[in-house]
Amino acid sequence: MRHYSACIEWLFAEEGDSFPDRIRRAHADGLTAIEFWRWTDKDLDAIEAALDETGLAVTSIVAEPMIALTDAGNRQAWLKGLAQSVAAAKRLGAPVLIAQAGNDLPGVTREQQRRALTETLKAGADILRGSGVRLGVEPLNIRIDHIGYFLDSTSEGLDIIDDIARPEIGIVYDIYHSAVMGERTEEVLDGRLDRVFHVHVADHPGRNEPGSGGIDLAHRLGWIFDNGYDGAVGLEYRPTRPGADAVRAAIASLDG
């Protein structure tokens, strides 16, 4: 059975509401898991109470601070924040932290930036070891949403993970970002699916709900599950329609 996780940064969000309200709304509408981005700007006591009340799981949160891992000068600050993020993830029961590589730095070669990224993540693995929390680095598209971002290739991201060679470090595979970059899921993930810790979906154009655009999301997601993925699928999209019926329709389109 597939497990879908509602990103409540965008889903079940109404003007003026709180994150605990979104958790309760997701539960009332039949979701079993949620995820969100930053944790440092949220009331974790209230979120934890809402999770206990509803029984919803948290599949992922973002590792903070969100600073460029391509800059070796940021390493110690990020590692300190990672330790705090691990504690937050354990508190909420989130098995995955999501990290972004940061932007391509002017005047610094890609080789130097990749080395800095690799070494920082390798050091992060020591903090993660034994915690039960893993970290996924997320490649992003540079054509629409993240112009200037360093890591736009799933294949390069996986190569970096192979260089690190630690079970605590993998990738988050966002089908939307991958498709926007012209990648074929079965090509970039073939033989390497075990490095994928979490999956995100959205359609294109618009980064809206599955079924609203032209990405063959059901096919791509079907291939991922058919080849052994057993993690959660994050519904990380901008909804054009409110309500539970729209979320159920999006999930139905993914299930084929």
Side-chain angles (χ1 to χ4, degrees):
M1 182 177 178
R2 297 182 183 181
H3 300 285
Y4 291 100
S5 172
C7 178
I8 58 173
E9 300 285 350
W10 285 333
L11 297 184
F12 302 104
E14 296 182 5
E15 186 175 354
D17 69 0
S18 68
F19 265 67
D21 290 336
R22 300 179 192 187
I23 292 170
R24 296 183 182 98
R25 198 172 298 125
H27 174 257
D29 288 343
L31 272 291
T32 60
I34 58 99
E35 60 186 81
F36 55 89
W37 300 334
R38 295 179 185 269
W39 59 271
T40 57
D41 61 354
K42 297 179 176 65
D43 184 343
L44 293 192
D45 289 337
I47 288 174
E48 191 172 25
L51 294 171
D52 290 342
E53 174 189 327
T54 60
L56 261 62
V58 178
T59 58
S60 68
I61 58 176
V62 167
E64 297 188 64
M66 295 181 70
I67 53 180
L69 307 188
T70 48
D71 184 345
N74 287 335
R75 183 169 302 145
Q76 293 309 312
W78 186 79
L79 291 173
K80 179 179 178 180
L82 176 63
Q84 296 168 340
S85 295
V86 168
K90 290 178 68 175
R91 176 180 176 182
L92 299 175
V96 175
L97 286 168
I98 298 176
Q100 295 182 354
N103 282 354
D104 197 356
L105 303 175
V108 184
T109 68
R110 283 197 65 85
E111 181 182 1
Q112 290 173 312
Q113 293 182 75
R114 177 166 165 165
R115 185 183 309 117
L117 173 61
T118 301
E119 291 176 355
T120 296
L121 292 173
K122 190 175 293 185
D126 290 334
I127 294 172
L128 292 156
R129 183 173 53 199
S131 69
V133 179
R134 300 185 296 173
L135 183 133
V137 183
E138 189 171 22
L140 304 173
N141 85 77
I142 60 171
R143 295 178 176 173
I144 300 173
D145 303 277
H146 299 278
I147 296 170
Y149 186 69
F150 176 81
L151 188 61
D152 62 356
S153 162
T154 299
S155 295
E156 183 177 12
L158 289 166
D159 289 344
I160 290 170
I161 300 311
D162 287 347
D163 290 342
I164 295 168
R166 291 287 298 267
E168 299 89 355
I169 309 294
I171 70 163
V172 173
Y173 180 66
D174 190 309
I175 298 178
Y176 163 79
H177 289 302
S178 181
V180 169
M181 291 305 298
E183 297 178 346
R184 292 176 55 84
T185 297
E186 57 268 37
E187 291 179 357
V188 294
L189 296 184
D190 187 31
R192 308 171 91 179
L193 197 56
D194 60 319
R195 285 80 151 178
V196 176
F197 292 170
H198 193 56
V199 171
H200 279 154
V201 293
D203 218 330
H204 175 65
R207 202 176 180 182
N208 302 131
E209 54 264 79
S212 66
I215 302 178
D216 52 343
L217 291 170
H219 172 77
R220 290 173 184 251
L221 200 57
W223 184 93
I224 289 171
F225 279 102
D226 287 347
N227 283 273
Y229 180 73
D230 61 358
V233 177
L235 304 172
E236 192 188 43
Y237 62 83
R238 298 185 182 96
T240 60
R241 295 184 296 139
D245 288 345
V247 176
R248 282 193 284 268
I251 292 174
S253 76
L254 294 171
D255 288 338

